[in-house]
Amino acid sequence: MREIELTKRQTQILEIVKNNGPITGEHIADQLALTRATLRPDLAILTMTGFLEARPRVGYYYTGRTSGAQVIDRIKKLTVKEFQAIPVVVDRSSSVYDAIVTMFLEDVGTLFVVDQNSILTGVLSRKDLLRASIGNKDLHTLPVDIIMTRMPNITICYKDDTIYNVAKSLIEKQIDAVPVVRESEHGLEVIGRFTKTNFTRAIVDLMNNDMF
């Protein structure tokens, strides 16, 4: 997000509120020898951007926030559903060979293993497939069900979770992606995926001011 450039008068207003807040608009206008109507657009901008807050019958006060702090606040409120990607899945009866081909063709680092109802049964990472490939096994006949990570060792998320919390899980668990799931009568249905790349894209969008 680009830094907000304040005008000279807006900077003066901030200093007045910092030193005298809470203070009414009329008193701010008096100190600047201007009318309340003249200051109204400046006060509206400073309030909308979060530098000031206003309380009825009390006046304006300085929040102490900077535009950088506002970005952080915004990140903490963004949800998974705004950035989740289409899940890449394989059936639990698929072979390890088929899983490797799917991972290569889809250019992803994590596959979600599902049953006939799209219910999550496991997760496959690059490490899982590499480990299986190194062994002296027939990858065409070895089912992914044998090597996948199963519940309760699978980290999941829901569409209304914040991307900040999910990103913390990715870092703590040292994984690249988590399945986005929803509750169903059969179990946890996979409806998306959230990755480190999705989180990075959200940050870039914010820095480019695309979301404000």
Side-chain angles (χ1 to χ4, degrees):
M1 176 178 174
R2 293 184 292 273
E3 290 292 321
I4 298 172
E5 295 184 5
L6 301 179
T7 66
K8 180 179 179 181
R9 188 161 67 195
Q10 289 166 356
T11 301
Q12 290 176 321
I13 291 172
L14 281 183
E15 287 301 315
I16 291 172
V17 177
K18 282 182 186 179
N19 297 326
N20 302 281
I23 182 172
T24 65
E26 288 76 13
H27 287 149
I28 297 172
D30 288 343
Q31 291 199 32
L32 292 174
L34 298 170
T35 65
R36 175 75 171 80
T38 300
L39 291 186
R40 189 171 291 116
D42 294 312
L43 290 171
I45 290 172
L46 291 172
T47 302
M48 287 188 295
T49 52
F51 289 101
L52 298 181
E53 288 194 17
R55 292 180 180 174
R57 297 184 297 276
V58 175
Y60 295 91
Y61 65 94
Y62 181 62
T63 64
R65 295 179 179 177
T66 65
S67 56
Q70 294 170 50
V71 171
I72 294 174
D73 287 344
R74 179 66 173 132
I75 290 172
K76 290 184 176 181
K77 294 177 182 177
L78 294 175
T79 57
V80 168
K81 62 186 174 186
E82 300 174 66
F83 298 96
Q84 68 183 54
I86 297 173
V88 180
V89 303
V90 293
D91 188 88
R92 64 182 305 170
S93 63
S94 299
S95 69
V96 171
Y97 178 83
D98 290 336
I100 292 173
V101 172
T102 300
M103 183 174 283
F104 176 78
L105 293 177
E106 297 291 342
D107 192 23
V108 295
T110 306
L111 299 174
F112 306 129
V113 184
V114 299
D115 63 15
Q116 66 274 13
N117 295 311
S118 296
I119 301 303
L120 179 67
T121 62
V123 171
L124 288 169
S125 68
R126 288 192 186 97
K127 289 182 180 179
D128 294 327
L129 297 177
L130 178 60
R131 190 178 298 113
S133 300
I134 293 175
N136 297 319
K137 302 181 181 69
D138 185 353
L139 301 183
H140 289 84
T141 59
L142 180 65
V144 295
D145 190 70
I146 300 296
I147 68 167
M148 69 184 185
T149 300
R150 302 169 181 271
M151 294 293 281
N153 297 318
I154 300 176
T155 301
I156 62 172
C157 71
Y158 297 88
K159 66 177 183 178
D160 292 324
D161 290 344
T162 65
I163 66 172
Y164 174 73
N165 286 332
V166 177
K168 286 200 300 182
S169 294
L170 291 173
I171 294 171
E172 291 169 1
K173 301 295 179 63
Q174 298 184 356
I175 53 180
D176 295 324
V178 295
V180 185
V181 301
R182 66 182 171 199
E183 304 282 348
S184 76
E185 59 179 327
H186 300 292
L188 296 176
E189 181 183 358
V190 179
I191 60 173
R193 64 186 168 100
F194 189 83
T195 69
K196 290 179 179 178
T197 300
N198 295 136
F199 183 76
T200 303
R201 182 174 294 112
I203 301 301
V204 170
D205 285 346
L206 285 171
M207 298 302 291
N208 285 336
N209 211 25
D210 290 341
M211 302 187 66
F212 289 87

